[in-house]
Amino acid sequence: MSTAAPSAEFLGHPKGLFVCFLTEMWERFAFYGMKALLLLYLVKHHGFNDGDGYLLLGTYAGLAYALPLLGGLLADRYLGMRKAVLFGGALLVAGQFGMAYTGSPAAEGGRDALAVQVMYASLALIAMGVGFLKPNISTIVGRLYAENDARRDSAFSIFYMGINVGAFLASVIVGYVGERLGWGYGFALGGVMMAAGLVQFVLGQKHLMGQAEPADPARLRAPLLAGLSREWLIYLGALLGVVVVWQVLQTRIDFEPLNRLVGGHQVTLTELVAVVLGTALYAWFAVLMFSGIDRVARGKMLLLLVLTTVSALFWGLYEQTYGPWVALAERAMDRSTFGLEWTAGQTTAIGALCVIAMSPLFAWLWPRLDRAGLNPGYAAKFAAALMLCGLAFGVLAFACAHPGADGLVSLWWMILAYVVLVAGEMVLSPIGLAAVTALSLPRVVGTMMGAWFLFSAFGEMIAGRLATYAAIPPGAEGTVSAAQALAVYGPFFTQMMWIGLGAGLALLLATPLLNRLTR
């Protein structure tokens, strides 16, 4: 990696950091605005049942987290980060504006088939766009600093703040616009702001100090096939990939052994691919363990594999916030506070607000615990994260069992649940990234970082599958009463609570053994 050249600065950092900050902020605005609305849009506008809505939400988000592996690889080897971000951003804008075409609401005659297919194609564009933009905008941030630059950690803290500011604004603004003014307006707003982020990236690319350019520009431009250069073949291949993802999103497979594992439901093609990828990853890991590495390195890698696997379960629970948590807010919650009434989609903003509030606290906490000799190891922190996640579901389970006099759950219970849940996120998410860099063999750190994000994708798919157990068939009038919703969500949240607490306790009991692996 080349050393970053001196550049004009702003607030003590290269101006390129703030170019990346704004680009990522608006990309996350578009992505999380989509997630805040998607389930409600599917169920209320296109007449999807709960189960199908949850599965599509998990499949789409899972692909959006898996495709960065491809986008990062192509940028490293051929495109360079700048071109990858521009291309990914253009796909995102196209996808968001495609979602703005909502067609006719579902009626007795069925769904608007054209609008549904436009929606699937738009989701495919967005997932592919995230794949090209997300990993590469982060890489640019790292490249703006020399390897020994002490400002690097601070830079990523600022950058991470941009992610959560975008998520917060998306939930508040897009959630309101989509539900109050029209679904298409909400989706289009995400496209407008992503386009604005892309424009400022183009105008500000001069501040990237040449750190985001292709490794070999001449090779990238040279004709390769039918007079087309590698660059254009990559773009065309990505568009072909969009067509593939478009079909994958709506493909179910009647595969009996897997069907039995998921309660008799057909599995999605994405879930089948995830099983294959997971099996291949574990097989690769087993070969690595017997490739001549020493005992300590082997122990660190085994610990990292356990942590990476556990992260998928954590995210599978955490991402219920965009499924049954939103459904609870829509169907059985008094969403008014301080004279204001939130929409169901807007409640997802609470999580991002908690991250913004807690990040400085945890950044302060770990160094002080470390100096006092009280800083827990990786396994103990992950165990705490799972148990906090379980407790967050316990808060909502209690709330469902004790509604107010109006038969509704107070929004304050959800706020409390988010506080507990995000405390778990802060103990796991940034710690996991640190664990990958600290525990991996130097020659496979990139692969293990890819595995970390791949397991985040698996977590999204797990979330979609788990949420199907909270599906509620609508009544005769196509509605779900508050009492009916609480009767389903209460037991479901209780089950999720025991999964989180049980898995966390099991990991905590195994912590002494796991810690010995690294000695």
Side-chain angles (χ1 to χ4, degrees), residues 43 80 124-125 194 208 407 440:
V43 173
L125 282 165
M194 183 64 244
L208 302 182
S440 292

Side-chain angles (χ1 to χ4, degrees), residues 388-412:
L388 286 166
C389 190
L391 288 173
F393 280 96
V395 169
L396 289 184
F398 179 85
C400 289
H402 300 84
D406 56 0
L408 300 176
V409 171
S410 169
L411 177 64
W412 288 104

Side-chain angles (χ1 to χ4, degrees), residues 44-48 102-116:
K44 296 174 72 173
H45 184 78
H46 284 307
F48 278 56
T102 58
S104 303
E108 290 186 6
R111 299 173 187 154
D112 185 329
L114 175 60
V116 169

